[in-house]
Amino acid sequence: MTEYQPPGEPPRGPSAGPSGRASGETGAVYDAVVLAGGAARRLGGADKPGVRVGGRALLDRVLTACADARTTVVVATPRPTVRPVTWAREDPPGGGPLAALYAGLRHTTADLVVLLSADLPFLDRRTVAGLPAALGRGTADGVLLTDSDGRDQPLVAAYRTASLRRGLTALTDRHGDLTGLPLRRLTGALDLIRIAGPVASFDCDTWDDIAAARARIREHGHVLDEWISAVKDELGIDLDVDTAALLDLARDAAHGVARPAAPLTTFLVGYAAARAGGDREAVAEATRRAVALAGRWAEEDTPSADAPAGSRSAAPSAPGTASDATPGTAPDAAPDARPDAG
């Protein structure tokens, strides 16, 4: 068995933020098979793929992570999902992971298959893209993540399709049927690369796991990326943006103009970017122009650096402000009546 240490950072968790089209970055073409038909006994028989974490169903979170697959097959009873998929069902239903895998593979054509369970709340697109990319650099049959205890997670993995089909055929010949056979009967005979991925491989088997996942995404270091991902899924937006630049813009608009200017400005930037093509460059350009405008606006609120020294302390007041009021009388509006007061 082959050990593999990825260069640079380990597979990224939810704090990594949204990424672009991963398959375009790596060049790896793959299909995805998502197993979503388990009985969820440890959840009391609840509909585990439909349980929500961060406002999104677990299955939808996984489908977003593998959105770069050429074909995505979900082995389960059909349901509404965040994006179109191909549906398959093992025969008989509930026949176990090998039977489900066999049913899913019948709809794939790529040389590489990413195999995922439907209960991975922290899986992201960069991690998924890294699996077939790592596999493509060697001769191993597959590459999988290991959890925080170093255990193999064969349902967060990429495999050579031919290796899976050969293994399933051999097991069928040996046992006559795949029903009820554990997945390790297949993966135990494969040459596998292992990558440590304790966050991305975290799966939700119990209600305690669900609670832990819900708590983690609300932590300070994760909540913004999680919220942005949820909004993009909800609105059907697939766009990688510079979050820090937009936050800086909102801050500049709030401090240099007025607090309500922040949400209104970011909305207008999004609208302008959409009209200009809606890609990352359009967002960056609209943001740059709005930031420059906010800077010019703020400069007008202070005396100009090149004004004569004697004139710097007496900027003109707008009509109706306190400086125009008759001495001894109150201005028209109290300070806390401004729209941006808080």
Side-chain angles (χ1 to χ4, degrees), residues 12 16-26 30 64-65 67-68 124-127 129 232 238-241 280:
R12 293 168 40 166
S19 64
R21 281 284 177 190
S23 61
E25 296 171 1
T26 65
Y30 65 91
T64 297
D68 297 312
D124 63 20
R125 288 169 71 167
R126 182 169 302 223
T127 300
K232 290 198 297 184
D238 183 15
L239 177 64
D240 184 17
V241 298
R280 182 185 180 94

Side-chain angles (χ1 to χ4, degrees), residues 13-60:
S15 62
S19 64
R21 281 284 177 190
S23 61
E25 296 171 1
T26 65
V29 176
Y30 65 91
D31 291 335
V33 174
V34 181
L35 305 189
R41 293 182 181 87
R42 297 170 69 184
L43 289 177
D47 175 27
K48 182 162 68 168
V51 172
R52 295 186 180 277
V53 173
R56 294 184 287 165
L58 285 171
L59 175 57
D60 283 342

Side-chain angles (χ1 to χ4, degrees), residues 60 63 66-67 69-74 79-87:
D60 283 342
L63 292 179
C66 64
R70 187 171 67 183
T71 298
T72 299
V73 184
V74 179
R79 66 174 69 213
T81 52
V82 70
R83 64 183 181 87
V85 299
T86 299
W87 294 96

Side-chain angles (χ1 to χ4, degrees), residues 28-32 69-71 105 107-114 132 159-165:
V29 176
Y30 65 91
D31 291 335
R70 187 171 67 183
T71 298
L105 282 180
H107 299 274
T108 64
T109 57
D111 292 337
L112 303 178
V113 171
V114 170
Y159 301 96
R160 299 191 189 280
T161 308
S163 297
L164 293 180
R165 289 182 171 145

Side-chain angles (χ1 to χ4, degrees), residues 33-313:
V33 174
V34 181
L35 305 189
R41 293 182 181 87
R42 297 170 69 184
L43 289 177
D47 175 27
K48 182 162 68 168
V51 172
R52 295 186 180 277
V53 173
R56 294 184 287 165
L58 285 171
L59 175 57
D60 283 342
R61 296 178 73 93
V62 172
L63 292 179
T64 297
C66 64
D68 297 312
R70 187 171 67 183
T71 298
T72 299
V73 184
V74 179
V75 185
T77 302
R79 66 174 69 213
T81 52
V82 70
R83 64 183 181 87
V85 299
T86 299
W87 294 96
R89 201 69 172 108
E90 70 272 29
D91 185 19
L98 287 184
L101 173 58
Y102 176 78
L105 282 180
R106 295 176 62 184
H107 299 274
T108 64
T109 57
D111 292 337
L112 303 178
V113 171
V114 170
L115 179 61
L116 304 168
S117 61
D119 60 352
L120 303 165
F122 303 138
L123 189 66
D124 63 20
R125 288 169 71 167
R126 182 169 302 223
T127 300
V128 170
L131 294 171
L135 186 57
R137 292 194 288 266
T139 58
D141 296 310
V143 53
L144 53 74
L145 297 190
T146 57
D147 65 16
S148 57
D149 295 321
R151 293 173 299 197
D152 289 354
Q153 297 298 313
L155 293 181
V156 197
Y159 301 96
R160 299 191 189 280
T161 308
S163 297
L164 293 180
R165 289 182 171 145
R166 281 196 303 269
L168 291 171
T169 298
L171 288 170
T172 301
D173 291 343
R174 187 178 311 143
H175 298 278
D177 191 2
L178 296 173
T179 301
L181 293 180
L183 192 58
R184 64 177 177 274
R185 291 287 185 91
L186 173 64
T187 59
L190 300 179
D191 178 24
L192 300 176
I193 298 169
R194 287 166 172 80
I195 300 177
V199 175
S201 66
F202 179 88
D203 56 357
C204 293
D205 290 328
T206 68
W207 287 113
D208 284 345
D209 294 336
I210 296 291
R214 288 171 172 170
R216 178 183 171 86
I217 66 170
R218 285 167 171 78
E219 294 174 357
H220 175 71
H222 308 299
V223 65
L224 187 58
D225 287 334
E226 286 288 345
W227 171 247
I228 290 172
S229 296
V231 171
K232 290 198 297 184
D233 270 4
E234 187 71 19
L235 300 180
I237 298 171
D238 183 15
L239 177 64
D240 184 17
V241 298
D242 189 337
T243 303
L246 289 176
L247 289 177
D248 287 344
L249 165 62
R251 179 202 62 203
D252 293 343
H255 292 175
V257 184
R259 290 181 198 173
L264 293 173
T265 304
T266 50
F267 165 78
L268 292 172
V269 163
Y271 183 79
R275 295 196 59 177
D279 57 11
R280 182 185 180 94
E281 289 73 22
V283 176
E285 174 61 15
T287 301
R288 183 194 65 76
R289 294 175 65 179
V291 168
L293 173 61
R296 296 194 301 270
W297 185 289
E299 286 175 1
E300 294 177 9
D301 197 36
T302 58
S304 174
D306 57 357
S311 65
R312 293 181 186 176
S313 60

